mmCIF file with all atom_site columns, all heavy atoms in Angstrom:
data_model
loop_
_atom_site.group_PDB
_atom_site.id
_atom_site.type_symbol
_atom_site.label_atom_id
_atom_site.label_alt_id
_atom_site.label_comp_id
_atom_site.label_asym_id
_atom_site.label_entity_id
_atom_site.label_seq_id
_atom_site.pdbx_PDB_ins_code
_atom_site.Cartn_x
_atom_site.Cartn_y
_atom_site.Cartn_z
_atom_site.occupancy
_atom_site.B_iso_or_equiv
_atom_site.pdbx_formal_charge
_atom_site.auth_seq_id
_atom_site.auth_comp_id
_atom_site.auth_asym_id
_atom_site.auth_atom_id
_atom_site.pdbx_PDB_model_num
ATOM 1  N N   . ALA A 1 36 ? -19.212 -0.194 -16.457 1.00 0.00 ? 36 ALA A N   1
ATOM 2  C CA  . ALA A 1 36 ? -19.815 -1.316 -15.855 1.00 0.00 ? 36 ALA A CA  1
ATOM 3  C C   . ALA A 1 36 ? -20.876 -1.898 -16.812 1.00 0.00 ? 36 ALA A C   1
ATOM 4  O O   . ALA A 1 36 ? -20.960 -3.189 -17.034 1.00 0.00 ? 36 ALA A O   1
ATOM 5  C CB  . ALA A 1 36 ? -20.428 -1.012 -14.514 1.00 0.00 ? 36 ALA A CB  1
ATOM 6  N N   . ALA A 1 37 ? -21.655 -1.067 -17.447 1.00 0.00 ? 37 ALA A N   1
ATOM 7  C CA  . ALA A 1 37 ? -22.673 -1.485 -18.403 1.00 0.00 ? 37 ALA A CA  1
ATOM 8  C C   . ALA A 1 37 ? -22.008 -2.160 -19.611 1.00 0.00 ? 37 ALA A C   1
ATOM 9  O O   . ALA A 1 37 ? -22.492 -3.206 -20.042 1.00 0.00 ? 37 ALA A O   1
ATOM 10 C CB  . ALA A 1 37 ? -23.534 -0.309 -18.843 1.00 0.00 ? 37 ALA A CB  1
ATOM 11 N N   . GLU A 1 38 ? -20.982 -1.583 -20.092 1.00 0.00 ? 38 GLU A N   1
ATOM 12 C CA  . GLU A 1 38 ? -20.290 -2.198 -21.229 1.00 0.00 ? 38 GLU A CA  1
ATOM 13 C C   . GLU A 1 38 ? -19.753 -3.534 -20.866 1.00 0.00 ? 38 GLU A C   1
ATOM 14 O O   . GLU A 1 38 ? -19.832 -4.517 -21.673 1.00 0.00 ? 38 GLU A O   1
ATOM 15 C CB  . GLU A 1 38 ? -19.083 -1.320 -21.719 1.00 0.00 ? 38 GLU A CB  1
ATOM 16 C CG  . GLU A 1 38 ? -18.331 -1.887 -22.871 1.00 0.00 ? 38 GLU A CG  1
ATOM 17 C CD  . GLU A 1 38 ? -17.179 -0.993 -23.326 1.00 0.00 ? 38 GLU A CD  1
ATOM 18 O OE1 . GLU A 1 38 ? -17.061 0.111  -22.912 1.00 0.00 ? 38 GLU A OE1 1
ATOM 19 O OE2 . GLU A 1 38 ? -16.374 -1.529 -24.167 1.00 0.00 ? 38 GLU A OE2 1
ATOM 20 N N   . THR A 1 39 ? -19.256 -3.743 -19.655 1.00 0.00 ? 39 THR A N   1
ATOM 21 C CA  . THR A 1 39 ? -18.749 -4.988 -19.174 1.00 0.00 ? 39 THR A CA  1
ATOM 22 C C   . THR A 1 39 ? -19.827 -6.068 -19.242 1.00 0.00 ? 39 THR A C   1
ATOM 23 O O   . THR A 1 39 ? -19.535 -7.163 -19.686 1.00 0.00 ? 39 THR A O   1
ATOM 24 C CB  . THR A 1 39 ? -18.166 -4.863 -17.791 1.00 0.00 ? 39 THR A CB  1
ATOM 25 O OG1 . THR A 1 39 ? -17.092 -3.921 -17.791 1.00 0.00 ? 39 THR A OG1 1
ATOM 26 C CG2 . THR A 1 39 ? -17.598 -6.203 -17.281 1.00 0.00 ? 39 THR A CG2 1
ATOM 27 N N   . VAL A 1 40 ? -21.006 -5.786 -18.789 1.00 0.00 ? 40 VAL A N   1
ATOM 28 C CA  . VAL A 1 40 ? -22.090 -6.825 -18.737 1.00 0.00 ? 40 VAL A CA  1
ATOM 29 C C   . VAL A 1 40 ? -22.783 -7.003 -20.086 1.00 0.00 ? 40 VAL A C   1
ATOM 30 O O   . VAL A 1 40 ? -23.455 -7.946 -20.254 1.00 0.00 ? 40 VAL A O   1
ATOM 31 C CB  . VAL A 1 40 ? -23.087 -6.516 -17.576 1.00 0.00 ? 40 VAL A CB  1
ATOM 32 C CG1 . VAL A 1 40 ? -22.425 -6.466 -16.268 1.00 0.00 ? 40 VAL A CG1 1
ATOM 33 C CG2 . VAL A 1 40 ? -23.914 -5.277 -17.868 1.00 0.00 ? 40 VAL A CG2 1
ATOM 34 N N   . MET A 1 41 ? -22.536 -6.104 -20.966 1.00 0.00 ? 41 MET A N   1
ATOM 35 C CA  . MET A 1 41 ? -23.106 -6.236 -22.291 1.00 0.00 ? 41 MET A CA  1
ATOM 36 C C   . MET A 1 41 ? -22.136 -6.799 -23.304 1.00 0.00 ? 41 MET A C   1
ATOM 37 O O   . MET A 1 41 ? -22.518 -7.736 -24.071 1.00 0.00 ? 41 MET A O   1
ATOM 38 C CB  . MET A 1 41 ? -23.616 -4.850 -22.813 1.00 0.00 ? 41 MET A CB  1
ATOM 39 C CG  . MET A 1 41 ? -24.785 -4.340 -22.040 1.00 0.00 ? 41 MET A CG  1
ATOM 40 S SD  . MET A 1 41 ? -25.228 -2.722 -22.726 1.00 0.00 ? 41 MET A SD  1
ATOM 41 C CE  . MET A 1 41 ? -26.113 -2.038 -21.349 1.00 0.00 ? 41 MET A CE  1
ATOM 42 N N   . ASN A 1 42 ? -20.946 -6.319 -23.336 1.00 0.00 ? 42 ASN A N   1
ATOM 43 C CA  . ASN A 1 42 ? -20.011 -6.669 -24.382 1.00 0.00 ? 42 ASN A CA  1
ATOM 44 C C   . ASN A 1 42 ? -18.736 -7.344 -23.891 1.00 0.00 ? 42 ASN A C   1
ATOM 45 O O   . ASN A 1 42 ? -17.941 -7.763 -24.702 1.00 0.00 ? 42 ASN A O   1
ATOM 46 C CB  . ASN A 1 42 ? -19.539 -5.401 -25.076 1.00 0.00 ? 42 ASN A CB  1
ATOM 47 C CG  . ASN A 1 42 ? -18.876 -5.653 -26.417 1.00 0.00 ? 42 ASN A CG  1
ATOM 48 O OD1 . ASN A 1 42 ? -19.312 -6.436 -27.170 1.00 0.00 ? 42 ASN A OD1 1
ATOM 49 N ND2 . ASN A 1 42 ? -17.731 -5.030 -26.611 1.00 0.00 ? 42 ASN A ND2 1
ATOM 50 N N   . GLY A 1 43 ? -18.592 -7.573 -22.612 1.00 0.00 ? 43 GLY A N   1
ATOM 51 C CA  . GLY A 1 43 ? -17.444 -8.268 -22.069 1.00 0.00 ? 43 GLY A CA  1
ATOM 52 C C   . GLY A 1 43 ? -16.497 -7.288 -21.377 1.00 0.00 ? 43 GLY A C   1
ATOM 53 O O   . GLY A 1 43 ? -16.593 -6.082 -21.530 1.00 0.00 ? 43 GLY A O   1
ATOM 54 N N   . ASP A 1 44 ? -15.624 -7.817 -20.541 1.00 0.00 ? 44 ASP A N   1
ATOM 55 C CA  . ASP A 1 44 ? -14.680 -7.039 -19.798 1.00 0.00 ? 44 ASP A CA  1
ATOM 56 C C   . ASP A 1 44 ? -13.654 -6.300 -20.660 1.00 0.00 ? 44 ASP A C   1
ATOM 57 O O   . ASP A 1 44 ? -12.774 -6.986 -21.297 1.00 0.00 ? 44 ASP A O   1
ATOM 58 C CB  . ASP A 1 44 ? -13.981 -7.921 -18.765 1.00 0.00 ? 44 ASP A CB  1
ATOM 59 C CG  . ASP A 1 44 ? -13.073 -7.061 -17.833 1.00 0.00 ? 44 ASP A CG  1
ATOM 60 O OD1 . ASP A 1 44 ? -12.916 -5.909 -18.017 1.00 0.00 ? 44 ASP A OD1 1
ATOM 61 O OD2 . ASP A 1 44 ? -12.550 -7.753 -16.904 1.00 0.00 ? 44 ASP A OD2 1
#
Side-chain angles (χ1 to χ4, degrees):
E38 180 180 349
T39 299
V40 301
M41 291 179 200
N42 193 48
D44 184 355

